[in-house]
Amino acid sequence: MFFGLNAAQQAALEAYYPQGTGFLAGTDVFVETGGAGLEVTVRQSRAVLRLERPELFGRGLLLLEDALALGGDCRLCETPSYRELGMLLDCSRNAIPTFGTFCRLAVSLSKMGYTTLQLYMEDTYQLEGYPYFGYRRGGYTEAELRRMDDFAAQLGLELVPAIQTLAHLGQSLKWKAFEPVRDLGDILLIDDENTYRLIGAMFASLARSFRSRRVNIGMDEAHLVGLGNYLRQHGYQDRMQLMLRHFDRVYQLAKQHGFSVMLWSDMFFRLATGGDYYAPGCRVDPAIRAALPPDVTLIYWDYYSEDPALYDRMFQKHREMTQNLLFAGGAWKWLGYFPGNGFSMHVADLAHASCRKNGVDRALVTAWADNGAECSPFAVLPTLQYWAELCYQNGPARLERHFSSCCQGADLQSFLCLDEPQYTPGNPKPGRVSVNPTKYLFYQDPLCGLFDAHLDPASYPAHFARCASLLTEARQKNPACWQYLFDTSLALCRVLEQKCALGRQLRQAYQAGDRAALQALQREALPALRSSLRQFLALFHRQWLQENRAFGLDVIDLRVGGLLQRLDTAAERLGAYLGGAAQRLEELEEPLLPFEPGAAGQDLYVHYWHSMVSVSDLSLN
């Protein structure tokens, strides 16, 4: 039985333990607030759980479980490295998580010891007076956001809106209704009052939807700011001054609605160096420090770097602008359908060590969903747990047990098997930064494959067959609530096993004049692959609709549907050639060049679907 709980903690207890608190085995637990960090003391059938802050209740329960598992009298303590540990959930790249997905994730995060959750919403929240803002994108209503905020609050999580107030607004700016506020591409038009009315409406909506009076205003990656309609209207102006002037207007609007702001720092570096965020010789413009009010937080994001000295140097450069810093690392789920926990955890060690060395006590783990949100947010739970253990200075000893406790009985090593398909023969563990062979091998055309020069037709199919076996075993080690993730990944591995070398097999048989081999590929391999692809798509539909709103699933259907049609076309082309209706297959006569010169036999990083499927212009402009 628990004593000393407030109403929120009592509600949270029911969320953490929906099956009851039988693990207490007759122990009375007294919850107190005070001191530093977390402490559990067990004496006979009495336990005292002391929390530095009430929002650490979830992590405190995890420490309580550790103490009770030891048996007998004991005392356990944890001191967090970060006063704020947060996760950013991308809700803008097609996938809009349902309330159930949000709650499931929030419960896990809170018990891991996270204190904030940022909802990244470019245009996926409804905005009064702007019907084309997020039109047909499945954006959250204010009532839905308040419901999410209420749930997070009872778990001790601060739900923080993360929006965009300069760039990354292409989904709305593509509409004619927003032409008056568009500079170029996805960038807002600075110095135009229509722009600031729009941003004011954003803050007004957020103020009605969230308890938190902190907001992430974005402002990252506005590479061409001031070079579109702004240039035509005003002529060229110093773009750093333009950026600072816009920031001041946005800051003042945020203050009017009671918000303090944080923003990504990269544009302050890019404008000073001509585009390089990490330029070693970058000199910080003193105007930036003068323009940043003392309550503004700069976010240094780095998901890639494997050089410890780079983190140190970047922290030092940031300190020249402000002392209010937050570091953002990555939980790699933007490579395609499979996660990159191995690389995420590898660079987490480096980033965390530098944070500690440089006195940075706020960290954010981002789970971006670039180019289609093909990967489930739950696939990176191992990375999220790993950052939590770094924060609470636990080391690997309790990692597996904590993961199971925080993630509904999930098995850590099994979840790490979701990474395995990425570790192709050309990309061994922990994986090279950004390399994503599984995505381009899946989407590339069967006749005109752009990446056929980058794989060994013998070892790659064997690799994906091995991964399918690993995932079959991993599935059985997890409770039913997680098995759908393994079903989807397993089905995709079967597709990749059949498809990855198909282009090379077609080319080899055609150039050798082996009509029997071509006939077998047409009559057996292509129909079997088509069937496997259909099975994968059905399972992916199930996964998507279990986790997300229906909006955005059309993108996956269009991509996979196009691939299905190209398989049909390949079968038709082979049939025409074998039957004599076509004298040659031009597609298989083109010389096979590497996608990148000098990179034949190496796995690559190719981010966007449209770059993988054809060299033709898909936009037809």
Side-chain angles (χ1 to χ4, degrees), residues 346-359:
H346 165 58
V347 293
D349 285 330
L350 304 175
H352 172 70
S354 186
C355 285
R356 295 274 288 167
K357 178 180 176 181
N358 290 279

Side-chain angles (χ1 to χ4, degrees), residues 142-256:
E142 290 181 6
E144 288 169 335
L145 288 171
R146 285 193 293 270
R147 185 185 180 202
M148 295 161 76
D149 191 59
D150 287 343
F151 186 82
Q154 78 178 24
L155 298 173
L157 281 173
E158 180 186 8
L159 194 62
V160 177
I163 64 168
Q164 289 291 354
T165 58
L166 181 56
H168 284 293
L169 288 168
Q171 291 290 348
S172 287
L173 296 185
K174 67 186 177 188
W175 299 107
K176 279 285 187 182
F178 286 100
E179 187 66 26
V181 297
R182 187 173 70 88
D183 180 4
L184 180 66
D186 64 353
I187 302 173
L188 287 172
L189 184 60
I190 292 176
D191 289 343
D192 190 289
E193 289 307 312
N194 291 308
T195 295
Y196 300 106
R197 277 191 286 274
L198 170 63
I199 294 172
M202 295 177 183
F203 289 134
S205 177
L206 300 179
R208 293 189 294 265
S209 305
F210 292 85
R211 285 175 172 79
S212 176
R213 283 302 173 260
R214 295 195 299 159
V215 59
N216 183 340
I217 61 172
M219 292 196 179
D220 58 313
E221 297 183 320
H223 304 292
L224 300 178
V225 63
L227 300 179
N229 287 324
Y230 189 93
L231 181 65
R232 284 188 283 273
Q233 293 176 18
H234 304 283
Y236 184 81
Q237 295 195 23
D238 183 293
R239 295 201 301 145
M240 182 68 82
Q241 293 305 312
L242 196 61
M243 177 85 179
L244 292 174
R245 188 160 68 245
H246 179 67
F247 165 74
D248 184 64
R249 286 294 303 271
V250 175
Y251 172 79
Q252 296 301 333
L253 285 168
K255 295 296 283 186
Q256 288 174 24

Side-chain angles (χ1 to χ4, degrees), residues 273-314:
T273 63
D276 187 356
Y277 189 17
Y278 305 102
C282 176
R283 297 184 62 184
V284 174
D285 189 335
I288 300 174
R289 187 179 186 96
L292 290 178
D295 62 338
V296 171
T297 296
L298 278 187
I299 308 171
Y300 159 39
W301 57 267
D302 195 330
Y303 322 131
Y304 314 94
S305 298
E306 297 179 81
D307 178 6
L310 188 146
Y311 292 100
D312 294 341
R313 184 176 73 243
M314 289 297 288

Side-chain angles (χ1 to χ4, degrees), residues 460-480:
Y460 276 64
H463 164 73
F464 291 119
R466 182 186 68 83
C467 290
S469 296
L470 283 175
L471 289 167
T472 299
E473 296 176 9
R475 180 188 188 276
Q476 302 307 317
K477 296 178 181 178
N478 285 274

Side-chain angles (χ1 to χ4, degrees), residues 11-23 107 111 405 408:
L13 191 67
E14 297 168 7
Y16 297 134
Y17 302 109
Q19 306 303 319
T21 54
F23 75 96
V107 168
K111 199 168 182 191
S405 181
Q408 296 179 271

Side-chain angles (χ1 to χ4, degrees), residues 28-32 39-42 46-50 64:
D28 289 333
V29 181
F30 296 82
V31 179
E32 302 174 352
E39 178 186 280
V40 172
T41 304
V42 178
R46 173 189 171 96
V48 176
L49 171 58
R50 183 187 52 73
L64 175 65

Side-chain angles (χ1 to χ4, degrees), residues 491-542:
L492 183 51
C493 282
R494 293 298 187 202
V495 171
L496 287 166
E497 178 188 356
Q498 296 169 269
K499 181 179 183 294
C500 67
L502 177 63
R504 293 286 291 269
Q505 293 163 353
L506 287 168
R507 176 178 291 270
Q508 180 180 354
Y510 177 75
Q511 293 183 347
D514 190 343
R515 299 176 70 84
L518 287 175
Q519 190 172 74
L521 289 167
Q522 185 216 15
R523 294 183 178 179
E524 300 169 18
L526 284 169
L529 175 55
R530 200 179 197 287
S531 176
S532 296
L533 191 56
R534 281 283 185 192
Q535 182 180 9
F536 162 71
L537 185 58
L539 290 168
F540 187 83
H541 270 227
R542 182 184 70 170

